[in-house]
């Protein structure tokens, strides 16, 4: 698990089908850059086409950020299970974003299939509302903020009910989605975050970068404080 001191080690992984016009270094490269700007992280970016499908550094990582969209099935069974086991048994933090709601590691980590009732790639604004303002992932974020261009995902969102709900997003047609959801899975922590269609520059936005840094810090801790209520206040002094 995470070292007793030093930066949080984050592996930012992508299948890399996102257009280079929007994400020249991939959506994972944009996230990695945001984490480096935030400080306190040792960040590596890797892609599906890399050696070992980009998962050579899985054992090194405290947190795995995951983006997949069209190639969910290309990830080998063995690598899917390596991710799942790392979350459950070692306490790897796992952060699937956007279309990764259909990824196999996400389904298997929670023992649940997921999917949204609908989507619309309209590039309209989305409003993100903070549901739990004292949650560590919401620190530094206004109660409401706008993502200027977004893809709509709609409830009902067929996920395992979140252990903690941090954000809800609303969309141009009045649709809503539980867009920032936390779960405890074995020793690991999981955060699903909906924003980020690959043709919109969502992951360069200040609030999104802040949320990703917060989420990586939250997910790097193990889930030993489950059920204690306001566990994060108790965990503040936790050695890292
Ligand atoms: Zn999308």
């Amino acid at each position: 698990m995470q070292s007793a001191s030093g930066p949080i080690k984050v592996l930012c992984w992508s299948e890399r089908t996102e257009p280079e016009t929007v994400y020249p270094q991939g959506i994972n490269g944009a996230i990695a850059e945001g984490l480096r700007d935030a400080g306190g992280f040792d960040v590596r970016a890797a892609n599906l086409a890399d050696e070992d499908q980009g998962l050579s550094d899985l054992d090194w990582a405290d947190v795995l950020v995951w983006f997949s969209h069209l190639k969910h099935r290309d990830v080998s069974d063995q690598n899917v299970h390596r991710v799942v086991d790392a979350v459950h048994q070692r306490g790897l933090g796992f952060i699937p974003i956007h279309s990764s709601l259909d990824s196999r590691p996400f389904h298997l980590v929670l023992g649940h299939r997921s999917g949204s009732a609908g989507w619309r790639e309209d590039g309209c604004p989305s409003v993100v509302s903070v549901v739990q303002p004292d949650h560590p992932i919401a620190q530094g974020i206004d109660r409401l903020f706008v993502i200027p261009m977004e893809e709509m995902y709609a409830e009902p969102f067929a996920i395992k009910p979140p252990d903690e709900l941090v954000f809800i997003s609303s969309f141009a047609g009045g649709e809503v989605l539980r867009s920032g959801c936390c779960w405890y899975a074995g020793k690991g922590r999981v955060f699903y975050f909906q924003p980020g269609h690959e043709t919109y520059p969502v992951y360069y936005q200040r609030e999104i970068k802040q949320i990703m840094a917060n989420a990586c810090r939250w997910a790097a801790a193990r889930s030993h404080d489950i059920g204690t209520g306001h566990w994060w206040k108790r965990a503040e002094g936790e050695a890292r």
Side-chain angles (χ1 to χ4, degrees), residues 69 98-99 121 151 153 196-198:
H69 176 216
H98 193 62
S99 45
E121 191 183 334
E151 178 179 38
Y153 281 6
H197 188 60
E198 63 277 4

Side-chain angles (χ1 to χ4, degrees), residues 173-208:
E175 301 90 351
V176 295
L177 187 89
R178 290 167 288 169
S179 55
C181 305
C182 298
W183 295 268
Y184 300 92
K187 288 184 177 175
R189 295 179 174 190
V190 180
F191 179 64
Y192 171 76
F193 195 42
Q194 173 271 332
H197 188 60
E198 63 277 4
T199 62
Y200 309 134
V202 172
Y203 278 83
Y204 299 113
Q205 186 171 335
R206 182 186 63 80
E207 291 92 340
I208 302 296

Side-chain angles (χ1 to χ4, degrees), residues 144-162:
L144 293 176
F145 72 92
V146 175
I147 298 173
M149 293 173 72
E150 247 296 24
E151 178 179 38
M152 183 277 288
Y153 281 6
E155 296 277 353
F157 185 19
I159 45 173
K160 179 179 180 181

